[in-house]
Amino acid sequence: MEILLDRLKDAQRTLIVEAAKIAMLPPDSMLRRVADLENTIAAVEALIEEQAPRRGRAAE
């Protein structure tokens, strides 16, 4: 799961850096992709947190 999270964050970071290089406001499609990635990142992080207590119990 953490590997997926890292890939999502890298993709979002790349888009943000590309947007910063544009002399004007980035296109709506780029902003939407950044926002979609943010929502997906939040969902993956929530799933990781949800599974953390289960992993702790399994280790005991």
Side-chain angles (χ1 to χ4, degrees), residues 5-32:
L5 184 60
D6 289 341
R7 285 191 311 228
L8 291 167
K9 287 180 176 181
D10 286 343
Q12 185 185 45
R13 188 176 304 111
T14 299
L15 279 172
I16 291 170
V17 169
E18 288 177 18
K21 292 177 183 176
I22 299 172
M24 55 186 196
L25 219 63
D28 287 343
S29 61
M30 183 179 278
L31 296 175
R32 249 183 261 115

Side-chain angles (χ1 to χ4, degrees), residues 1-8 43-45 47-49 51 55:
M1 228 24 112
E2 285 83 5
I3 293 170
L4 172 60
L5 184 60
D6 289 341
R7 285 191 311 228
L8 291 167
V44 171
E45 287 175 335
L47 187 57
I48 289 170
E49 287 182 29
Q51 290 182 346
R55 280 188 242 150

Side-chain angles (χ1 to χ4, degrees), residues 12 15 30-41:
Q12 185 185 45
L15 279 172
M30 183 179 278
L31 296 175
R32 249 183 261 115
R33 284 188 289 171
V34 170
D36 288 345
L37 282 166
E38 185 64 30
N39 288 334
T40 305
I41 289 167

